[in-house]
Amino acid sequence: MERLNVLVCDDDTAIVDALEIYLKHENYGVLKAYTGAQALQALAEHEIHLILLDIMMPEMDGLSATIRIREERNIPIIIISAKSEDTDKIAGLNFGADDYVSKPFNPLELMARVKSQMRRYTALGSIALKSGILKSGGLELDRAGKEVRVDGEIIRLTPTEYGIVVFLMENLGHVFSIAQIYEQVWNEPSYAAENTVAVHIRRIREKIEINPREPKYLKVVWGIGYKIKKY
Amino acid sequence: MERLNVLVCDDDTAIVDALEIYLKHENYGVLKAYTGAQALQALAEHEIHLILLDIMMPEMDGLSATIRIREERNIPIIIISAKSEDTDKIAGLNFGADDYVSKPFNPLELMARVKSQMRRYTALGSIALKSGILKSGGLELDRAGKEVRVDGEIIRLTPTEYGIVVFLMENLGHVFSIAQIYEQVWNEPSYAAENTVAVHIRRIREKIEINPREPKYLKVVWGIGYKIKKY
DNA sequence: TGAAAATCTTAAAGCTTTCTTAAGAATAAG
DNA sequence: CTTATTCTTAAGAAAGCTTTAAGATTTTCA
């Protein structure tokens, strides 16, 4: 069973840290963000299955964030708020949140609500699970449709090329040696397969880069390996 | 759009009647039950999309009812309770409820929570609502009438062809391997049935595509599988 | 029930795309 | 300037998709 990831977003670090402990205890993966902007970025770069979102944050308030998240991904959002007014709850729910919890909250109740959302989310089969769009600048990876887009335009990749991009995008910014890439994508030990990978890299660049000679996304780190740069 | 039905179950007739008014105002169909047994019966006899369930009822308490409902149908359950203790909430949610509201509650907040559950329930569609029309560009699937239309014109598909289209339309944009398609549509393990699916794909294309050589809807993703493209 | 029609399955051939390999060119680092 | 590393190109081999056709099976309707 694959691990489910929760993004916790609150400007109060104490709350974030506390929630992290509870969530990890329930065996969820935890990602942390302290502003709405950070939340949106985390969403683009990682596979996330549920969001706990504070509604009062600097930079971007939770409601706006909720709307933007809804536009991009259809994952459960639970709003956590200091406002316990009914009108705020109603507004939050109508803006697309799936649940609304007021501070101070009982962490165990919150965990039960997280579980409840996850249950429904995963009930529809793991089919819906491996979806979501990962982004870095103009480069987008749509794992549901097995599609890669650059500045909105669909790029046609072969299965191997696609596999390499998925691996690098799922580990955005990390550098991997050719051997590591081969082992991950081919799922077998790399024995003198250096050049094979190089050729694939070459062809991926030809497809996704404006100027393959000076790659914007698929970067080489001399003597070490390759990565897709984080934007 | 089809009407969504809510089953309201509470032994307090005043509450049931009040909720009925609010729900009808939101354009939901309303069914009423005053005991757990009646609720289960209503569930068996009518198409119901969400349940509002009081937790303290004669004959059968709400928690037991929740469990029995969950066993039969996978529809959203919102528990309404006089108990506002956190432990009760947590118990209710863990027993399979999707939300928990304490009395006295703000009816508008409750409506917002109903809407929120319905939104998710109908968004993922597939398993939940067995009717309704799915669309992608000019391609329409009317599950109620078991009909497929292209630019308004009815396309006559065979049962197997229809099954494949339903599966792919219910997971619009997702790519599935031939083996996955076979297993989902035939409901049995695919053993060397690769070509069977391919032939059906071929014939579906002949019927729904303007130019089967360059399919607009039923796309192949080389080395991976097929999908119906999202427009 | 029996014949006709419709649908499904299987096999095989042809076509297209993708992968790998190898060898030489280009580039960065010291 | 030398060496190690990466990039590029091309071509044959392998893998995957499409199409056709014919026989088997199921459904329909008289």
Side-chain angles (χ1 to χ4, degrees), chain B residues 13 18 21 70 119 152 161 231:
Chain B
T13 55
I21 292 169
R70 260 293 122 71
R119 187 191 312 131
E161 287 161 12
Y231 280 104

Side-chain angles (χ1 to χ4, degrees), chain A residues 35-135:
Chain A
T35 64
Q38 279 177 22
L40 287 172
Q41 177 155 9
L43 207 61
E45 288 170 8
H46 301 96
E47 183 173 12
I48 290 169
H49 303 107
L50 182 145
I51 302 180
L52 290 176
L53 187 67
D54 183 17
I55 214 167
M56 309 263 286
M57 283 185 303
E59 282 194 42
M60 179 188 292
D61 69 291
L63 278 189
S64 318
T66 307
I67 296 167
R68 301 236 351 228
I69 291 164
R70 260 294 123 72
E71 281 170 2
E72 292 209 9
R73 305 263 318 265
N74 189 31
I75 63 176
I77 301 172
I78 300 180
I79 289 184
I80 298 171
S81 170
K83 295 184 184 175
S84 65
E85 292 294 318
D86 287 342
T87 52
D88 296 314
K89 286 193 194 179
I90 294 165
L93 291 168
N94 281 338
F95 270 118
D98 294 282
D99 205 343
Y100 190 110
V101 175
S102 306
K103 291 182 192 171
F105 53 83
N106 179 334
L108 293 177
E109 182 193 335
L110 183 58
M111 287 307 116
R113 289 186 181 276
V114 167
K115 225 185 291 178
S116 175
Q117 291 293 340
M118 288 289 200
R119 188 191 309 132
R120 184 150 293 286
Y121 187 56
T122 55
L124 302 173
S126 46
I127 288 169
L129 215 59
K130 261 287 184 204
S131 58
I133 295 169
L134 301 179
K135 285 188 202 176

Side-chain angles (χ1 to χ4, degrees), chain A residues 156 158-160 186 195-196 199-200 203 213 222:
Chain A
R156 203 152 162 276
T158 72
T160 308
W186 275 255
N195 194 47
T196 302
V199 172
H200 284 291
R203 283 202 281 251
R213 297 299 185 91
W222 256 81

